[in-house]
Structures are given as structure tokens and as C-alpha cells.
Amino acid sequence: MSKAYRVAELDRLSPDDFAKFYIRPARPVVVRGALKKCAALSDWTFDYLRRHAGGSKTPLKEWTASGVKISHMPLADYLDGLELYEKRRAAGEPVGQRPLYLHDIPLTSVFRDASADLAAFPQSYFPSWYGADWPKFAQMFLGPSASLTPLHFDCLLTHNLFFQVSGRKRFTLFSHDDLQRCYPYNWRWCRVDVENPDHERYPLYREARGVEIVVGPGDLLYMPPGTLHHVRSLDCALSFNVDWHTKGSALNGLLAVMRGMPLQNVYYNALIAFGMWAGVPSKRVMPFYKSYLSYVS
């Protein structure tokens, strides 16, 4: 049986201690209130989204037996549907079909002032290569209560900083060492239903040792490369994350081609590795990397 995965919980964490005690030893951590000084925590409302990006077409995801299905609608219409659904749900009225999940789209495509709204968060949490442009590497999530992302790991084997802006999400985390016990397929997805596991069909899952952690408004969750995570929204929730590399994890991402990583993923890892090791600024790499922020894998 594997060791139980443990997540440290802190009220504050300096960038130096983050690197020393969590990045280098690959330990997950939650920092409560990490965004409390950022304007984004109060300003990123549905009204803000309607004013600044309401007319934009946004992709919505649905997980089906045959894979991820994507549809599109104007963001303002999506927000109206979310609000109506949550209002009816809170009142105990019939809600109809749950709205789909706005999942993994470029943060700055809807929050164009994201860098200014997040300026109070220390950019030195990231390697210096990312600099003040780190929000340009972020992906956004917005969805109704009970939205789900099934068990998986991040496709480039990046470090992951996950920021919760509003609402709550419940993460179930497993070490990458538990991957085979969770029955992987298509490189990064797992067949096990964490909330209702079929132990007869997936007997090895009995030996996997996950941990649950709930993040709320302003919280930050760090997941080391390869961390398996299953995510359930407990409320209507707005979040974003940044998949990012160190020089070492970028090289490990390239070598993962020998373990079945798709070539498209290797391409994105090669871009970051080239930028970091050759000293090419992130702003010159971003035009080639940008498509990753909307990449469906």
C-alpha cells in the first residue's frame, strides 16, 4: 500500500520557503488567503465579466463516455444561465440541466487587466523566467455547483499553482506513484471514479492513498509535477491556475516522451525548456506557447 499523500496548510509562505520546503522536495501545500491583497479577489465579479468580455464566445466542456465534448456560447448568456441555475438551486426549485463547465481557457482572454489585478501576489513564487508576465500563462475555470474534473494529472508534468477566487472546490490528491493503482488511459486521465469507486473492476485502487483538501476564496494550492487530482466544485466557483516549469521539470517533461507523453505535449515542453536554458525571454516564447492555454488533451 502506498503512503498517504499529505498536504501542508499555512497562513503565509515566503517565496524562498516555498522553493526550499515545497518545490524542491515536491510537497503539496495550501496557503490560505494568498490572494487577500489582490484586487482580483473583490473585483472579478459576473458584472465585471459582462462589462469586459460579455460578448465573447466562450468554449464549454462536458465529459462524456467518448471523451471531452466542447460547445460555445456568448459569455454573457453563460453567466445568465449560471446565475439562474444557482438561484433556483438555492431556493430548492427545479433547476433543469446543470450548465456546462468553462474550463481551461486563457485567463487574460476574459480578464484583460489580470496582471494589474494580481500584482500584489509575489511574482517570485515563479522562476524568474516568467517574471511579471506570469498571469499570461494562466488558465481560467468557471462553473456551477457540482462541476467536476475527473481524476488526472497535468499533461505537461508541470508544477501547478491553483488560485481560488470565489466559491469552494474540493480536491482529492494522490501522489504520481499511485498512477497505476488509478488505472490510467490517454496519457493523463484515470478510469477510477474517486467518489464512487468500483473496487471489483479496479481492485488496485484499494491501495491508493489520497487526501481531500477544500480551497476557498483567496486560497492557493500548490501541486508538484505529476500530482493526480480530482476536483469537485462545492459552490459556483471561479478559479485559475498556472502550469509552470523549472529548468529541471522542463527537461523531465521532454524525457517523458519515452514514457508515452504525446508529441504535442513534448512540443510545449520544448518551448519552455528552450526559453529557460537558452535565455530566450518568455514574451518571445509566448506566441508559440499560447495555443497550450486552450489545448484539449
Side-chain angles (χ1 to χ4, degrees), residues 9-12 30-34 36 213-216 218-220:
E9 294 189 55
L10 305 173
D11 292 326
R12 62 182 63 86
V30 169
V31 184
R32 302 296 184 188
K36 62 186 177 183
I213 191 80
V214 174
V215 294
D219 291 346
L220 165 68

Side-chain angles (χ1 to χ4, degrees), residues 14-293:
S14 72
D16 287 344
D17 284 348
F18 176 50
K20 180 178 180 181
F21 296 113
Y22 298 98
I23 297 175
R24 291 171 194 159
R27 296 175 57 210
V29 62
V30 169
V31 184
R32 302 296 184 188
L35 287 179
K36 62 186 177 183
K37 295 182 179 179
C38 295
L41 198 59
S42 58
D43 291 356
W44 287 5
T45 63
F46 279 17
D47 286 341
Y48 178 105
L49 283 170
R50 287 187 179 97
R51 290 196 307 270
H52 293 274
S56 62
K57 284 283 183 104
T58 188
L60 305 171
K61 288 184 180 178
E62 179 182 10
W63 277 266
T64 69
S66 58
V68 179
K69 180 181 177 181
I70 299 178
S71 57
H72 295 79
M73 72 166 55
L75 180 58
D77 292 348
Y78 179 66
L79 296 173
D80 290 345
L82 272 183
E83 285 187 329
L84 181 60
Y85 176 85
E86 296 295 337
K87 180 180 179 180
R88 288 176 172 172
R89 184 175 181 272
E93 299 174 356
V95 296
Q97 184 175 355
R98 188 171 69 228
L100 299 180
Y101 200 176
L102 193 162
H103 183 281
D104 263 359
I105 68 168
L107 178 70
T108 54
S109 68
V110 289
F111 292 109
R112 294 181 176 84
D113 295 326
S115 292
D117 294 340
L118 296 168
F121 184 81
Q123 68 184 54
S124 49
Y125 260 57
F126 300 92
S128 59
W129 184 81
Y130 290 89
D133 285 338
W134 68 266
K136 295 180 180 179
F137 290 83
Q139 294 164 292
M140 170 188 164
F141 307 81
L142 175 63
S145 303
S147 294
L148 171 70
T149 305
L151 189 63
H152 68 290
F153 63 87
D154 295 323
C155 66
L156 303 188
L157 293 176
T158 45
H159 300 265
N160 185 338
L161 280 180
F162 188 94
F163 300 82
Q164 192 68 18
V165 179
S166 63
R168 297 168 301 146
K169 287 188 173 179
R170 182 181 65 233
F171 282 75
T172 307
L173 307 181
F174 299 83
S175 166
H176 199 73
D177 293 340
D178 270 330
L179 179 60
Q180 296 306 315
R181 299 181 181 94
C182 296
Y183 296 83
Y185 71 100
N186 288 354
W187 171 240
R188 72 186 191 117
W189 297 98
C190 294
R191 299 188 187 280
V192 170
D193 179 350
V194 169
E195 296 173 329
N196 188 28
D198 184 341
H199 292 298
E200 290 190 6
R201 190 173 183 184
Y202 305 117
L204 293 179
Y205 182 68
R206 294 180 184 275
E207 301 177 8
R209 301 288 301 277
V211 62
E212 288 187 0
I213 191 80
V214 174
V215 294
D219 291 346
L220 165 68
L221 170 63
Y222 167 65
M223 292 177 280
T227 299
L228 302 173
H229 47 292
H230 170 282
V231 190
R232 174 70 77 178
S233 295
L234 303 179
D235 310 299
C236 182
L238 170 63
S239 322
F240 68 94
N241 84 302
V242 182
D243 295 334
W244 52 281
H245 272 308
T246 59
K247 286 184 175 180
S249 66
L251 288 181
N252 288 337
L254 289 177
L255 294 174
V257 68
M258 295 183 290
R259 294 190 279 119
M261 177 182 279
L263 292 180
Q264 182 77 354
N265 300 18
V266 176
Y267 164 76
Y268 291 120
N269 281 336
L271 290 173
I272 302 299
F274 174 69
M276 287 186 154
W277 285 95
V280 178
S282 60
K283 64 182 179 181
R284 293 183 59 187
V285 173
M286 176 52 80
F288 303 96
Y289 183 82
K290 188 176 181 179
S291 59
Y292 169 70
L293 302 177

